[in-house]
Amino acid sequence: MQPFITLIISVFMLSTIQAQKDTLIYVGDPMCSWCYGFSPELDKIKEAFPETAFEMVMGGLRAGGTEKMNELKDFLKGHWQEVQKATNQPFNYAILEQDEVLYDTEPACRAVVTVGKMDVSKQYAYFKAVQSSFYYHNALPNDDDTYVQLAAKMGLDPEKFHKLYRADQTKVDTYAEFELAQRMGVQGFPTLIVKIDGKLYIATNGFQKAERIITLLKNRGLK
């Protein structure tokens, strides 16, 4: 694994990050296959540092994508098989045959941003629910009902969720997170950044096992 890399980042980029606390900052996309593979590892990392604040930034892997799933099926299938082999996460490949499904990750990211506005304590669990709904249950990622139903299962008001999800400001805020990820220098997903004593470090850029990341975080002084 690469050593920690100090990030040079201006103060305004930290506006969504708790200023005075050590913080784990996860940059990902619910429709990123390696992020799906990384979720069980991130669970272990969060469990290892229960007192550490946790923030999420949506990365926008293919925001605004116009290609259909079946147009990308060979490319995606290869990636998914690689992730499945490395992580043992379950995949359902049937959705790759659907010619009406756009591979646009903006709606999924916007749904996660919406939940963050409603109840930030449920945001990460919702992120994982969106992952499972797509990769395992093959729920349609460009159908509002997919995200409304998941919100309802989380105990959120479905009508309030849908109104907020469709709001122009939520779309603006979602793209602002994509831009933030770019300005933070994130090159790929998943990326885990840690703020320790006011300094930002990249813990991992890409999939890594939790044990290695936890060891590095402890060596760096995270508690």
Side-chain angles (χ1 to χ4, degrees):
M1 173 187 266
Q2 64 182 359
F4 282 94
I5 303 171
T6 303
L7 290 176
I8 300 174
I9 187 167
S10 55
V11 174
F12 77 89
M13 291 183 187
L14 298 175
S15 60
T16 62
I17 299 167
Q18 298 186 40
Q20 302 303 318
K21 295 183 178 181
D22 288 353
T23 309
L24 292 168
I25 307 152
Y26 178 56
V27 186
D29 188 305
M31 289 183 66
C32 156
S33 57
W34 279 111
C35 296
Y36 176 52
F38 186 61
S39 283
E41 306 304 318
L42 184 55
D43 289 344
K44 296 174 186 176
I45 295 166
K46 283 169 56 62
E47 290 170 5
F49 303 99
E51 302 303 317
T52 300
F54 180 76
E55 301 278 346
M56 299 187 74
V57 176
M58 294 300 99
L61 176 66
R62 282 179 178 259
T66 59
E67 294 172 289
K68 304 289 182 62
M69 294 295 296
N70 68 340
E71 295 175 325
L72 296 167
K73 66 180 180 180
D74 291 338
F75 168 77
L76 293 174
K77 185 177 181 179
H79 276 284
W80 293 7
Q81 288 175 333
E82 186 179 359
V83 175
Q84 188 171 26
K85 181 178 180 180
T87 69
N88 293 317
Q89 284 281 69
F91 282 79
N92 183 345
Y93 296 87
I95 198 169
L96 296 176
E97 303 298 331
Q98 297 194 34
D99 60 7
E100 77 278 14
V101 180
L102 287 175
Y103 192 53
D104 175 8
T105 71
E106 186 275 339
C109 289
R110 178 161 33 105
V112 175
V113 171
T114 302
V115 171
K117 290 173 174 287
M118 296 180 70
D119 186 345
V120 71
S121 70
K122 296 182 177 181
Q123 190 177 32
Y124 178 56
Y126 185 85
F127 179 89
K128 292 193 294 181
V130 172
Q131 290 179 318
S132 294
S133 76
F134 174 62
Y135 282 108
Y136 185 66
H137 299 289
N138 281 179
L140 300 181
N142 50 349
D143 186 344
D144 288 7
D145 286 344
T146 293
Y147 305 113
V148 173
Q149 291 172 14
L150 290 175
K153 289 179 181 178
M154 291 280 171
L156 299 171
D157 184 315
E159 292 186 6
K160 182 179 179 181
F161 171 89
H162 192 232
K163 182 177 181 180
L164 190 58
Y165 172 76
R166 300 290 296 178
D168 289 341
Q169 186 59 52
T170 304
K171 297 177 183 179
V172 170
D173 292 343
T174 301
Y175 273 91
E177 292 203 12
F178 300 161
E179 293 173 4
L180 174 60
Q182 292 175 359
R183 293 203 299 266
M184 290 172 82
V186 172
Q187 300 295 315
F189 313 117
T191 289
L192 184 64
I193 297 168
V194 59
K195 181 165 73 70
I196 303 174
D197 295 332
K199 295 182 180 180
L200 292 173
Y201 307 92
I202 293 177
T204 188
N205 178 215
F207 177 86
Q208 292 284 351
K209 289 290 187 179
E211 289 77 8
R212 300 181 70 183
I213 297 173
I214 290 168
T215 298
L216 281 174
L217 292 175
K218 288 182 175 179
N219 289 343
R220 181 58 69 169
L222 191 66
K223 299 177 181 178

